[in-house]
Amino acid sequence: MLIDLTGRTALVTGASSGLGKAVAARLAASGARVAVLARGEDALAAAADAIRAEAKGEVLPIPCDITDPAQRDAAMGQATDRFGAVDILVNNAGSSRRGEVETLTRDGVVEDLDLKLLAPLALIQAVVPTMKERRWGRIVNVSAVVGKAPDGGSMPTSLSRAAGLSMTRTLSRELAPWNILVNALCVGKIKSGQWERRYEASGKAQSYEEFLAPVAKTIPLGRMGEAEEFANAACFLVSDQASYITGAAINVDGGLCPVA
Ligand SMILES: NC(=O)c1ccc[n+]([C@@H]2O[C@H](COP(=O)([O-])OP(=O)(O)OC[C@H]3O[C@@H](n4cnc5c(N)ncnc54)[C@H](OP(=O)(O)O)[C@@H]3O)[C@@H](O)[C@H]2O)c1
């Protein structure tokens, strides 16, 4: 299926690494103008250069901590000044935060909700007015399978993700009359920066693939996902071809999650 996003403006958070970088690259290669956000300036600039290599559309790196309201507003302003209104928002920035109940702190829970729920909601609030005017919009909230099927010890991530799935469903119904489609992609275990950091922290006594092998064994398809496989799903959801899909929470997990 040929996906053409020419003329669309996209904003992807957490796009300096892993899944967000792969999504931004796929959207740019499909013709979209893409604003890419993350905190680390050097990694973001390097990612933007790599994305530009395959891009048909323009790529604009904007250093931004999405949990900081002033930085978020400034980033949105920069993106729209350069590209015009945002047609496609991919709320992807996030990190893994989980622990046994005794280890949870109020601050940790609040920080996780801020990053994975409240900052994405604020970005959605910023893009909805112009999406309504244009009667076209695509919002993809990157989530995790623990939002549907939490493991023990998976808070606060599982809490934040479950709330994010509720937000996705609520907004899909509220915004449908304006042809603004809101969906979630629930990640299982996909190779990315966070897995590379875990490998580094392990001391690298074995190869990366050997390190990942026990994880891969838990997945029905028998392997970890690749970021590009995730990007394919995201690119489809933001395209015209996905015109009748809203309110969905689609697992991209190699069959891992017991809940569809
Ligand atoms: N890969 C998996 O197996 C998996 C599983 C479940 C869920 N997920 C979710 O998938 C999404 C992508 O993660 P990933 O696996 O691709 O990890 P990753 O490679 O570590 O990428 C995370 C991205 O988010 C950015 N980020 C983090 N905090 C941010 C903030 N406050 N403001 C702006 N950007 C921020 C990071 O850049 P900076 O640090 O420079 O800001 C980076 O670009 C996350 O929401 C993650 O929770 C992934």
Side-chain angles (χ1 to χ4, degrees), residues 13-21 37-41 43-44 64-68 91-96 115-116 142-146 157 161 186-195 197-198 224 230:
T13 67
S16 63
S17 168
L19 311 188
K21 180 180 168 189
L37 275 60
R39 292 167 302 178
E41 288 194 33
L44 185 63
C64 173
D65 181 341
I66 60 159
T67 63
D68 179 320
N91 274 318
N92 164 78
S95 59
S96 178
L115 175 61
K116 296 175 185 162
V142 175
S143 185
V145 293
V146 290
T157 278
R161 294 312 192 183
C186 298
V187 186
K189 295 175 192 297
I190 299 182
K191 290 180 206 166
S192 71
Q194 59 173 286
W195 288 97
R197 287 192 297 278
R198 281 175 203 159
M224 305 268 299
F230 180 81

Side-chain angles (χ1 to χ4, degrees), residues 95-101 103-114 116 146-147 153-163:
S95 59
S96 178
R97 191 194 282 249
R98 45 188 293 151
E100 305 298 324
V101 65
T103 69
L104 296 182
T105 63
R106 186 181 188 285
D107 284 353
V109 173
V110 169
E111 278 168 23
D112 202 64
L113 283 165
D114 201 20
K116 296 175 185 162
V146 290
S154 66
M155 289 196 291
T157 278
S158 54
L159 276 178
S160 304
R161 294 312 192 183

Side-chain angles (χ1 to χ4, degrees), residues 18 54 69 117 138 164 238 255:
E54 299 289 321
L117 181 73
R138 296 283 190 274
V238 305

Side-chain angles (χ1 to χ4, degrees), residues 162-186:
L165 294 180
S166 177
M167 173 177 77
T168 299
R169 186 80 184 142
T170 304
L171 292 177
S172 71
R173 298 177 78 82
E174 183 176 325
L175 299 173
W178 287 273
N179 191 32
I180 301 170
L181 311 186
V182 190
N183 292 290
L185 287 174
C186 298

Side-chain angles (χ1 to χ4, degrees), residues 74-253:
M76 191 57 73
Q78 270 188 59
T80 52
D81 285 352
R82 172 82 171 266
F83 292 153
V86 172
D87 304 296
I88 295 166
L89 171 64
V90 181
N91 274 318
N92 164 78
S95 59
S96 178
R97 191 194 282 249
R98 45 188 293 151
E100 305 298 324
V101 65
E102 297 93 328
T103 69
L104 296 182
T105 63
R106 186 181 188 285
D107 284 353
V109 173
V110 169
E111 278 168 23
D112 202 64
L113 283 165
D114 201 20
L115 175 61
K116 296 175 185 162
L117 181 73
L118 300 179
L121 175 58
L123 287 167
I124 290 169
Q125 288 177 305
V127 298
V128 157
T130 49
M131 287 181 175
K132 279 187 171 176
E133 277 169 27
R134 296 146 75 102
R135 300 190 80 81
W136 199 97
R138 296 283 190 274
I139 297 168
V140 172
N141 296 318
V142 175
S143 185
V145 293
V146 290
K148 292 182 179 177
D151 302 325
S154 66
M155 289 196 291
T157 278
S158 54
L159 276 178
S160 304
R161 294 312 192 183
L165 294 180
S166 177
M167 173 177 77
T168 299
R169 186 80 184 142
T170 304
L171 292 177
S172 71
R173 298 177 78 82
E174 183 176 325
L175 299 173
W178 287 273
N179 191 32
I180 301 170
L181 311 186
V182 190
N183 292 290
L185 287 174
C186 298
V187 186
K189 295 175 192 297
I190 299 182
K191 290 180 206 166
S192 71
Q194 59 173 286
W195 288 97
E196 284 158 27
R197 287 192 297 278
R198 281 175 203 159
Y199 175 54
E200 297 282 334
S202 77
K204 296 169 72 167
Q206 50 195 341
S207 72
Y208 186 44
E209 290 304 326
E210 283 166 348
F211 172 74
L212 297 177
V215 182
K217 273 194 192 146
T218 66
I219 300 169
L221 280 182
R223 63 180 178 83
M224 305 268 299
E226 302 290 338
E228 292 70 24
E229 295 179 297
F230 180 81
N232 288 338
C235 190
F236 168 66
L237 277 183
V238 305
S239 71
D240 279 322
Q241 282 88 339
S243 52
Y244 205 55
I245 302 175
T246 194
I250 299 170
N251 298 342
V252 185
D253 68 344

